[in-house]
Amino acid sequence: MTDHGAHSRKSKIKGREPVVIHPEDAKRRNIENGSLVRLFNRRGSCLCSAVVSDEVRPSVLQLSTGAWFDPPLAADSGISCKHGNPNVLTRDEGTSRLAQGPSALSCLVEVEVYRGETTAMPLSAFSPPVINSERT
């Protein structure tokens, strides 16, 4: 809810949510600290900035929740969210029919260096939509 606040923005790298990746996994994928990466699975994909650190185990990524959903304008870009929202990667299913609490936000994903064009996908999560105020 406070993704637009100074505390949240301070943790971003080039405006995108950071994803922590183990050095062994990063090396295998030619990912460096600060690289723009694409996390993806069959549900969707998002762009994040890589943080290479041994604070996570090999074969594990850590992506915090909180980045506001920011879909690209071009549906054919292959990206579901350009800001790093993990909800595009996880199941949208409650814990039970009674409770409807959120299920665990863990899932299988792949990660790769993003080689697409980013100038065509500027971040817009904090920009209000253009509203046509003309009345007919």
Side-chain angles (χ1 to χ4, degrees):
M1 304 243 328
T2 60
D3 193 35
H4 62 285
H7 181 75
S8 179
R9 286 192 179 195
K10 186 170 57 172
S11 70
K12 304 282 194 280
I13 301 170
K14 298 177 187 168
R16 301 190 200 289
E17 194 70 33
V19 60
V20 183
I21 182 172
H22 192 274
E24 293 172 14
D25 297 321
K27 184 177 180 180
R28 253 192 325 275
R29 293 168 174 82
N30 296 315
I31 295 172
E32 298 176 358
N33 225 10
S35 293
L36 184 61
V37 296
R38 180 176 83 106
L39 276 61
F40 63 98
N41 61 20
R42 64 179 178 79
R43 293 181 186 102
S45 63
C46 62
L47 296 180
C48 301
S49 294
V51 174
V52 179
S53 172
D54 60 4
E55 291 181 2
V56 294
R57 297 181 64 151
S59 300
V60 172
L61 299 173
Q62 188 274 319
L63 176 63
S64 295
T65 60
W68 286 0
F69 180 59
D70 194 6
L73 292 176
D76 61 349
S77 68
I79 300 296
S80 305
C81 177
K82 54 190 176 175
H83 192 211
N85 185 308
N87 292 335
V88 300
L89 304 167
T90 58
R91 289 179 0 170
D92 185 17
E93 187 173 323
T95 53
S96 73
R97 290 186 312 207
L98 175 63
Q100 286 302 305
S103 57
L105 289 178
S106 60
C107 61
L108 297 175
V109 297
E110 186 52 74
V111 59
E112 66 185 6
V113 173
Y114 181 68
R115 304 209 186 279
E117 183 60 47
T118 56
T119 55
M121 287 195 292
L123 295 173
S124 57
F126 309 116
S127 302
V130 176
I131 299 174
N132 185 351
S133 61
E134 292 181 28
R135 298 195 186 258
T136 56

